[in-house]
Coordinates of all heavy atoms in Angstrom, one line a residue:
M1 N -2.3 16.4 -11.5 CA -2.3 17.3 -10.5 C -1.3 16.8 -9.4 O -1.1 15.5 -9.2 CB -3.6 17.5 -9.7 CG -4.2 16.2 -9.1 SD -5.9 16.3 -8.3 CE -5.5 17.1 -6.8
K2 N -0.7 17.8 -8.7 CA 0.3 17.1 -7.7 C -0.5 17.0 -6.3 O -1.1 17.9 -5.9 CB 1.4 18.2 -7.5 CG 2.7 17.8 -8.1 CD 3.8 18.6 -7.5 CE 5.1 17.9 -7.9 NZ 6.4 18.7 -7.5
R3 N -0.4 15.9 -5.6 CA -1.0 15.8 -4.5 C -0.4 14.8 -3.5 O 0.5 14.1 -4.0 CB -2.5 15.3 -4.6 CG -2.7 13.9 -5.2 CD -4.1 13.6 -5.4 NE -4.4 12.3 -5.9 CZ -4.5 11.2 -5.0 NH1 -4.6 11.4 -3.7 NH2 -4.9 10.1 -5.6
Q4 N -0.9 14.7 -2.3 CA -0.3 13.7 -1.4 C -0.8 12.4 -1.6 O -2.1 12.3 -1.8 CB -0.5 14.1 0.0 CG 0.2 15.4 0.4 CD 0.5 15.6 1.8 OE1 -0.3 15.3 2.7 NE2 1.7 16.1 2.2
I5 N 0.0 11.3 -1.6 CA -0.4 10.0 -1.8 C 0.5 9.1 -1.2 O 1.7 9.5 -0.9 CB -0.5 9.8 -3.4 CG1 -1.2 8.4 -3.7 CG2 0.9 9.8 -4.1 CD1 -1.7 8.5 -5.3
I6 N 0.1 7.9 -0.8 CA 1.0 7.0 -0.2 C 2.1 6.3 -1.1 O 1.9 6.3 -2.3 CB 0.3 5.8 0.6 CG1 -0.3 4.7 -0.4 CG2 -0.6 6.3 1.6 CD1 -0.6 3.3 0.2
H7 N 3.2 6.1 -0.5 CA 4.3 5.5 -1.2 C 4.7 4.1 -0.4 O 4.8 4.2 0.8 CB 5.5 6.3 -1.3 CG 6.7 5.6 -1.7 ND1 6.8 5.3 -3.2 CD2 7.8 5.1 -1.2 CE1 8.0 4.6 -3.3 NE2 8.6 4.5 -2.1
I8 N 4.7 3.0 -1.0 CA 5.1 1.8 -0.4 C 6.5 1.3 -0.7 O 6.6 1.1 -2.0 CB 4.1 0.6 -0.6 CG1 2.6 1.0 -0.2 CG2 4.5 -0.6 0.1 CD1 1.5 0.0 -0.6
D9 N 7.5 1.2 0.1 CA 8.8 0.8 -0.1 C 8.8 -0.7 -0.2 O 8.7 -1.4 0.8 CB 9.7 1.3 0.9 CG 11.1 1.2 0.6 OD1 11.4 0.1 -0.1 OD2 12.0 1.9 1.2
A10 N 8.9 -1.2 -1.4 CA 8.9 -2.6 -1.7 C 10.1 -3.4 -1.0 O 10.0 -4.6 -0.7 CB 8.8 -3.0 -3.2
D11 N 11.2 -2.7 -0.8 CA 12.4 -3.3 -0.2 C 12.1 -3.4 1.3 O 12.6 -4.4 1.9 CB 13.7 -2.4 -0.5 CG 14.0 -2.4 -1.9 OD1 13.7 -3.5 -2.6 OD2 14.6 -1.5 -2.3
K12 N 11.4 -2.5 1.9 CA 11.1 -2.7 3.4 C 9.9 -3.6 3.7 O 9.8 -4.3 4.8 CB 10.8 -1.3 3.9 CG 12.1 -0.4 4.2 CD 11.5 1.0 4.9 CE 12.7 1.8 5.2 NZ 12.1 3.1 5.7
C13 N 8.9 -3.7 2.8 CA 7.7 -4.4 3.0 C 8.0 -5.8 3.2 O 8.8 -6.5 2.5 CB 6.7 -4.3 1.8 SG 5.3 -5.3 1.9
N14 N 7.5 -6.4 4.3 CA 7.7 -7.9 4.5 C 6.6 -8.8 4.2 O 6.6 -10.0 4.6 CB 8.2 -8.1 6.2 CG 7.0 -7.8 7.0 OD1 5.8 -7.5 6.6 ND2 7.2 -7.6 8.5
G15 N 5.7 -8.2 3.6 CA 4.6 -9.1 3.1 C 3.6 -9.5 4.2 O 2.8 -10.3 3.9
C16 N 3.4 -8.8 5.3 CA 2.6 -9.3 6.5 C 1.1 -9.1 6.1 O 0.2 -9.7 6.6 CB 3.0 -8.4 7.6 SG 2.5 -6.7 7.7
G17 N 0.7 -8.0 5.1 CA -0.5 -7.9 4.8 C -1.5 -7.0 5.8 O -2.6 -6.9 5.4
L18 N -0.8 -6.6 6.8 CA -1.6 -5.9 7.8 C -2.3 -4.6 7.3 O -3.5 -4.2 7.7 CB -0.8 -5.4 8.9 CG -0.4 -6.6 9.9 CD1 0.6 -6.2 11.0 CD2 -1.6 -7.3 10.5
C19 N -1.7 -4.0 6.2 CA -2.2 -2.7 5.8 C -3.4 -2.8 4.9 O -4.1 -1.8 4.5 CB -1.1 -2.0 5.0 SG -0.3 -3.0 3.8
V20 N -3.6 -4.0 4.2 CA -4.7 -4.3 3.3 C -6.1 -3.9 4.0 O -6.8 -3.1 3.4 CB -4.6 -5.6 2.6 CG1 -5.8 -5.8 1.8 CG2 -3.3 -5.7 1.9
P21 N -6.4 -4.6 5.1 CA -7.7 -4.3 5.7 C -7.7 -2.9 6.4 O -8.9 -2.3 6.6 CB -7.9 -5.3 6.8 CG -6.5 -5.8 7.1 CD -5.7 -5.7 5.8
D22 N -6.6 -2.2 6.5 CA -6.6 -1.0 7.2 C -7.0 0.2 6.1 O -6.9 1.4 6.5 CB -5.3 -0.6 7.8 CG -5.5 -0.6 9.3 OD1 -6.4 -1.4 9.8 OD2 -4.7 0.0 9.9
C23 N -7.0 -0.3 4.9 CA -7.4 0.8 3.8 C -8.8 0.4 3.3 O -9.0 -0.4 2.5 CB -6.4 0.7 2.6 SG -6.9 1.7 1.2
P24 N -9.8 1.2 4.1 CA -11.2 0.8 3.6 C -11.4 1.2 2.1 O -12.4 0.6 1.5 CB -12.0 1.8 4.5 CG -11.0 2.7 5.0 CD -9.7 2.3 4.9
E25 N -10.6 2.1 1.4 CA -10.8 2.4 0.0 C -10.5 1.3 -0.9 O -10.6 1.3 -2.0 CB -10.0 3.6 -0.3 CG -10.5 5.0 0.3 CD -10.2 5.1 1.8 OE1 -9.3 4.3 2.4 OE2 -10.6 6.1 2.5
G26 N -9.7 0.2 -0.4 CA -9.2 -0.9 -1.2 C -8.0 -0.5 -2.1 O -7.9 -1.1 -3.2
A27 N -7.2 0.5 -1.8 CA -6.2 0.9 -2.6 C -5.0 0.1 -2.5 O -4.1 0.2 -3.4 CB -5.8 2.4 -2.3
I28 N -4.9 -0.8 -1.5 CA -3.6 -1.6 -1.3 C -4.0 -3.1 -1.6 O -5.0 -3.6 -0.9 CB -3.0 -1.4 0.1 CG1 -2.8 0.0 0.3 CG2 -1.8 -2.2 0.2 CD1 -2.3 0.3 1.7
Q29 N -3.3 -3.8 -2.4 CA -3.4 -5.2 -2.4 C -2.1 -5.9 -2.4 O -1.1 -5.3 -2.6 CB -4.1 -5.7 -3.7 CG -5.6 -5.4 -3.7 CD -6.1 -5.8 -5.1 OE1 -5.6 -6.5 -5.9 NE2 -7.5 -5.2 -5.2
M30 N -2.1 -7.2 -2.0 CA -0.9 -8.0 -1.9 C -0.7 -8.5 -3.3 O -1.5 -9.3 -4.0 CB -0.9 -9.1 -0.9 CG -1.2 -8.6 0.6 SD 0.0 -7.5 1.0 CE 1.5 -8.5 1.1
I31 N 0.5 -8.2 -4.0 CA 0.8 -8.8 -5.3 C 2.3 -9.4 -5.2 O 3.3 -8.7 -4.8 CB 0.8 -7.7 -6.3 CG1 -0.7 -7.0 -6.4 CG2 1.3 -8.1 -7.6 CD1 -0.8 -5.9 -7.3
N32 N 2.4 -10.6 -5.4 CA 3.7 -11.3 -5.4 C 4.3 -11.1 -4.0 O 5.6 -10.9 -3.9 CB 4.7 -10.8 -6.4 CG 4.1 -11.3 -7.8 OD1 3.5 -12.2 -7.9 ND2 4.5 -10.4 -8.9
G33 N 3.4 -11.3 -3.0 CA 3.9 -11.1 -1.6 C 4.4 -9.7 -1.0 O 5.0 -9.7 0.0
R34 N 4.1 -8.9 -1.8 CA 4.4 -7.4 -1.4 C 3.1 -6.5 -1.4 O 2.3 -6.8 -2.5 CB 5.5 -6.8 -2.2 CG 6.8 -7.4 -2.0 CD 7.5 -7.1 -0.8 NE 8.7 -7.8 -0.5 CZ 8.8 -9.0 0.0 NH1 7.9 -9.6 0.4 NH2 10.1 -9.5 0.2
A35 N 3.0 -5.5 -0.5 CA 1.9 -4.6 -0.7 C 2.1 -3.7 -1.8 O 3.2 -3.2 -2.0 CB 1.7 -3.8 0.6
R36 N 1.0 -3.5 -2.5 CA 1.1 -2.4 -3.7 C -0.2 -1.6 -3.7 O -1.2 -1.9 -3.3 CB 1.1 -3.3 -5.1 CG 2.2 -4.2 -5.3 CD 3.4 -3.5 -5.9 NE 3.1 -3.0 -7.2 CZ 3.2 -3.7 -8.4 NH1 3.6 -5.0 -8.2 NH2 2.9 -3.3 -9.5
L37 N 0.3 -0.2 -4.1 CA -0.9 0.7 -4.3 C -1.4 0.3 -5.8 O -0.7 0.5 -6.7 CB -0.4 2.1 -4.3 CG -1.3 3.2 -4.7 CD1 -2.4 3.2 -3.6 CD2 -0.6 4.5 -4.7
I38 N -2.7 -0.2 -5.8 CA -3.2 -0.7 -7.1 C -3.6 0.5 -8.0 O -3.6 0.3 -9.2 CB -4.3 -1.9 -6.9 CG1 -5.5 -1.2 -6.1 CG2 -3.8 -3.0 -6.3 CD1 -6.8 -1.9 -6.4
S39 N -4.0 1.6 -7.4 CA -4.4 2.7 -8.4 C -4.4 4.0 -7.5 O -4.8 4.1 -6.3 CB -6.0 2.5 -8.8 OG -6.3 3.7 -9.4
D40 N -3.9 5.0 -8.0 CA -3.8 6.3 -7.6 C -5.3 6.8 -7.2 O -5.6 7.5 -6.3 CB -3.3 7.3 -8.5 CG -1.8 7.2 -8.8 OD1 -1.1 6.3 -8.0 OD2 -1.2 8.0 -9.5
L41 N -6.3 6.4 -8.1 CA -7.6 6.8 -8.0 C -8.4 6.4 -6.6 O -9.2 6.9 -6.1 CB -8.4 6.2 -9.0 CG -8.1 6.6 -10.5 CD1 -8.9 5.9 -11.5 CD2 -8.3 8.1 -10.7
Y42 N -7.7 5.3 -6.0 CA -8.3 4.8 -4.8 C -7.7 5.4 -3.4 O -8.2 5.1 -2.4 CB -8.2 3.2 -4.7 CG -8.9 2.5 -5.6 CD1 -8.7 1.1 -5.9 CD2 -9.9 3.1 -6.5 CE1 -9.3 0.3 -6.8 CE2 -10.6 2.2 -7.4 CZ -10.4 0.9 -7.5 OH -11.1 0.3 -8.4
C43 N -6.6 6.0 -3.6 CA -5.9 6.5 -2.4 C -6.3 8.0 -2.2 O -6.0 8.9 -3.0 CB -4.3 6.4 -2.7 SG -3.4 7.1 -1.2
D44 N -6.8 8.3 -1.0 CA -7.1 9.6 -0.6 C -6.1 10.4 -0.1 O -6.2 11.6 0.3 CB -8.4 9.7 0.3 CG -8.1 8.9 1.7 OD1 -7.0 8.6 2.0 OD2 -9.1 8.6 2.4
G45 N -4.9 9.6 0.2 CA -3.7 10.4 0.7 C -3.7 10.8 2.2 O -2.9 11.5 2.5
L46 N -4.7 10.3 2.9 CA -4.7 10.7 4.4 C -3.9 9.8 5.2 O -3.6 10.1 6.3 CB -6.3 10.5 4.8 CG -7.3 11.6 4.2 CD1 -8.6 11.3 4.6 CD2 -6.8 13.0 4.3
G47 N -3.4 8.6 4.7 CA -2.4 7.8 5.4 C -3.0 7.0 6.6 O -2.2 6.8 7.5
A48 N -4.2 6.5 6.5 CA -4.8 5.6 7.5 C -3.9 4.5 7.7 O -3.8 3.8 8.8 CB -6.3 5.3 7.3
C49 N -3.2 4.0 6.6 CA -2.5 2.7 6.6 C -1.1 2.9 7.2 O -0.5 1.9 7.6 CB -2.4 2.3 5.1 SG -1.7 3.5 4.1
I50 N -0.8 4.1 7.4 CA 0.7 4.3 7.7 C 1.1 3.7 9.1 O 2.1 3.0 9.2 CB 1.2 5.8 7.8 CG1 0.9 6.2 6.3 CG2 2.6 6.0 8.4 CD1 1.4 7.8 6.2
G51 N 0.4 3.9 10.2 CA 0.6 3.5 11.6 C 0.6 2.0 11.7 O 1.0 1.5 12.6
T52 N -0.1 1.4 10.7 CA -0.2 -0.2 10.8 C 1.0 -0.9 10.4 O 1.3 -1.9 10.9 CB -1.4 -0.6 9.8 OG1 -2.5 0.1 10.1 CG2 -1.5 -2.1 9.8
C53 N 1.8 -0.3 9.6 CA 3.0 -1.0 9.0 C 4.0 -1.2 10.2 O 4.7 -0.2 10.5 CB 3.5 -0.2 7.8 SG 4.9 -1.2 7.1
P54 N 4.3 -2.4 10.4 CA 5.4 -2.7 11.5 C 6.8 -2.3 11.2 O 7.6 -2.3 11.9 CB 5.2 -4.1 11.9 CG 4.7 -4.8 10.5 CD 3.9 -3.7 9.9
V55 N 7.0 -2.2 9.8 CA 8.5 -1.9 9.5 C 8.5 -0.4 8.8 O 9.6 -0.1 8.2 CB 8.9 -2.9 8.5 CG1 9.0 -4.3 9.1 CG2 8.1 -3.1 7.3
G56 N 7.6 0.4 8.9 CA 7.6 1.7 8.3 C 7.8 1.7 6.8 O 8.5 2.7 6.3
A57 N 7.2 0.9 6.1 CA 7.4 0.8 4.6 C 6.5 1.8 4.0 O 6.6 2.1 2.8 CB 7.2 -0.6 4.1
I58 N 5.4 2.3 4.7 CA 4.4 3.2 4.1 C 4.7 4.6 4.5 O 4.8 5.0 5.6 CB 2.9 2.7 4.5 CG1 2.8 1.4 4.0 CG2 2.0 3.6 3.5 CD1 1.4 0.8 4.5
T59 N 4.8 5.5 3.6 CA 5.0 6.9 3.8 C 4.2 7.7 2.8 O 3.5 7.1 1.9 CB 6.5 7.5 3.5 OG1 6.8 6.9 2.2 CG2 7.4 6.8 4.6
I60 N 4.0 9.0 3.2 CA 3.2 9.8 2.3 C 4.2 10.7 1.5 O 5.3 11.2 1.9 CB 2.4 10.9 3.1 CG1 1.2 10.2 3.9 CG2 1.8 12.0 2.3 CD1 0.0 10.0 3.1
E61 N 3.9 10.7 0.2 CA 4.9 11.6 -0.7 C 4.0 12.5 -1.5 O 2.6 12.3 -1.5 CB 5.6 10.8 -1.7 CG 4.8 9.9 -2.7 CD 5.6 9.1 -3.7 OE1 6.8 9.3 -3.6 OE2 5.1 8.4 -4.4
E62 N 4.6 13.6 -2.0 CA 3.7 14.5 -2.9 C 4.3 14.3 -4.3 O 5.4 14.4 -4.7 CB 3.9 15.9 -2.4 CG 3.0 16.7 -3.2 CD 2.7 18.3 -2.5 OE1 2.7 18.2 -1.4 OE2 3.0 19.1 -3.4
R63 N 3.4 13.9 -5.3 CA 3.8 13.7 -6.6 C 2.5 13.9 -7.7 O 1.4 14.0 -7.1 CB 4.4 12.3 -6.8 CG 3.4 11.2 -6.6 CD 3.9 9.9 -7.1 NE 3.2 8.6 -6.6 CZ 2.0 8.2 -7.3 NH1 1.5 8.9 -8.2 NH2 1.5 7.0 -6.8
E64 N 2.9 13.9 -9.0 CA 1.7 14.0 -9.9 C 1.0 12.6 -9.7 O 1.6 11.5 -9.8 CB 2.3 13.9 -11.2 CG 2.8 15.2 -11.8 CD 1.7 16.3 -11.9 OE1 0.6 16.0 -12.1 OE2 2.0 17.5 -11.5
A65 N -0.2 12.8 -9.5 CA -1.2 11.7 -9.4 C -2.6 12.1 -9.8 O -3.1 13.2 -9.6 CB -1.2 11.1 -7.9
A66 N -3.3 11.0 -10.4 CA -4.7 11.2 -10.7 C -5.4 11.6 -9.4 O -5.0 11.1 -8.3 CB -5.1 9.9 -11.3
P67 N -6.4 12.4 -9.5 CA -7.2 12.7 -8.3 C -7.9 11.6 -7.7 O -8.3 10.7 -8.3 CB -8.2 13.8 -8.7 CG -8.3 13.8 -10.3 CD -7.0 13.0 -10.7
Y68 N -8.1 11.6 -6.3 CA -8.8 10.5 -5.6 C -10.3 10.5 -6.1 O -10.9 11.5 -6.4 CB -8.9 10.9 -4.1 CG -9.8 10.0 -3.3 CD1 -9.6 8.7 -3.1 CD2 -10.8 10.6 -2.6 CE1 -10.4 7.9 -2.4 CE2 -11.7 9.7 -1.7 CZ -11.4 8.5 -1.7 OH -12.2 7.7 -0.9
N69 N -10.8 9.4 -6.4 CA -12.1 9.2 -7.1 C -13.1 8.5 -6.2 O -13.1 7.2 -6.1 CB -12.1 8.5 -8.4 CG -13.4 8.5 -9.2 OD1 -14.4 8.4 -8.6 ND2 -13.3 8.5 -10.4
E70 N -13.8 9.2 -5.3 CA -14.7 8.6 -4.3 C -15.8 7.7 -4.8 O -16.1 6.6 -4.4 CB -15.3 9.6 -3.5 CG -15.9 9.0 -2.2 CD -16.3 10.1 -1.2 OE1 -16.4 11.4 -1.3 OE2 -16.9 9.7 -0.1
A71 N -16.2 8.1 -6.0 CA -17.4 7.3 -6.7 C -16.9 5.9 -7.1 O -17.5 4.9 -6.9 CB -17.9 8.1 -7.9
L72 N -15.6 5.9 -7.7 CA -15.0 4.7 -8.0 C -14.7 3.7 -6.9 O -15.0 2.6 -6.9 CB -13.7 5.0 -8.8 CG -13.2 4.0 -9.7 CD1 -14.2 3.7 -10.8 CD2 -11.9 4.4 -10.2
V73 N -14.4 4.4 -5.7 CA -14.0 3.6 -4.4 C -15.4 3.0 -4.0 O -15.3 1.8 -3.7 CB -13.6 4.5 -3.4 CG1 -13.4 3.9 -2.1 CG2 -12.0 4.9 -3.8
M74 N -16.4 3.8 -4.0 CA -17.8 3.2 -3.5 C -18.3 2.0 -4.4 O -18.7 1.1 -4.0 CB -18.7 4.3 -3.7 CG -18.6 5.4 -2.5 SD -18.7 4.7 -0.8 CE -17.9 5.9 0.1
E75 N -18.0 2.3 -5.7 CA -18.3 1.1 -6.6 C -17.5 -0.1 -6.3 O -18.2 -1.2 -6.4 CB -18.0 1.7 -8.1 CG -18.8 0.9 -9.2 CD -18.4 1.5 -10.4 OE1 -18.7 2.7 -10.6 OE2 -17.8 0.9 -11.3
N76 N -16.2 0.1 -6.0 CA -15.4 -1.0 -5.7 C -15.8 -1.7 -4.4 O -15.8 -3.0 -4.4 CB -13.9 -0.5 -5.7 CG -13.0 -1.6 -5.5 OD1 -13.1 -2.7 -6.1 ND2 -11.8 -1.4 -4.8
I77 N -16.2 -0.9 -3.4 CA -16.6 -1.5 -2.1 C -17.9 -2.3 -2.4 O -18.0 -3.4 -1.9 CB -16.8 -0.5 -1.2 CG1 -15.4 0.2 -0.7 CG2 -17.5 -1.0 0.1 CD1 -15.5 1.4 0.2
I78 N -18.9 -1.8 -3.1 CA -20.1 -2.5 -3.3 C -19.9 -3.8 -4.1 O -20.5 -4.8 -3.8 CB -21.2 -1.5 -4.1 CG1 -21.6 -0.4 -3.1 CG2 -22.3 -2.3 -4.6 CD1 -22.1 0.8 -3.8
N79 N -19.0 -3.7 -5.1 CA -18.8 -4.9 -5.9 C -17.9 -5.9 -5.3 O -17.7 -7.0 -5.8 CB -18.2 -4.5 -7.3 CG -19.1 -3.7 -8.1 OD1 -20.4 -3.9 -7.9 ND2 -18.6 -2.8 -9.0
S80 N -17.3 -5.6 -4.2 CA -16.3 -6.7 -3.4 C -17.0 -7.4 -2.5 O -18.2 -7.3 -2.2 CB -15.1 -5.9 -2.9 OG -15.5 -5.0 -1.9
Ligands
SF4_1 S1 1.9 -3.4 6.7 FE1 4.0 -2.8 5.8 S2 5.1 -4.8 5.8 FE2 2.9 -5.3 6.1 S3 2.3 -5.8 3.9 FE3 1.8 -3.5 4.4 S4 3.6 -2.3 3.6 FE4 4.2 -4.5 3.7

């Protein structure tokens, strides 16, 4: 399905990590010093993380993506 989802520009990202705690769904993790969207399933596309990024590396795009899976997110939160 086509839907709204975050996009992280790896060239702009400075690795500050501020966006990670701002995503309660756990969709963003730091990998090799850069923020990465770890799974489409965890991103609700609402963009709570966007305002946090000091360099404007996070935007919303519309693309083919798996649907947001709230049950999986809850499971991830409980297990973390
Ligand atoms: S807040 Fe922006 S610059 Fe910092 S880690 Fe996240 S995407 Fe990268």
Side-chain angles (χ1 to χ4, degrees):
M1 63 181 284
K2 257 198 168 177
R3 69 178 181 94
Q4 296 209 314
I5 191 161
I6 65 155
H7 170 76
I8 303 171
D9 185 333
D11 292 331
K12 280 189 185 172
C13 175
N14 67 10
C16 71
L18 291 174
C19 55
V20 175
D22 254 28
C23 178
E25 290 81 10
I28 305 175
Q29 282 184 17
M30 300 304 293
I31 298 174
N32 294 329
R34 295 285 179 270
R36 294 270 299 273
L37 176 63
I38 56 161
S39 170
D40 290 358
L41 300 172
Y42 292 169
C43 178
D44 60 15
L46 296 179
C49 53
I50 290 177
T52 302
C53 181
V55 295
I58 308 175
T59 52
I60 294 274
E61 66 177 353
E62 188 165 315
R63 65 167 168 81
E64 276 303 317
Y68 173 63
N69 187 326
E70 191 170 2
L72 203 63
V73 166
M74 289 302 163
E75 200 176 299
N76 190 33
I77 289 170
I78 290 164
N79 292 333
S80 63

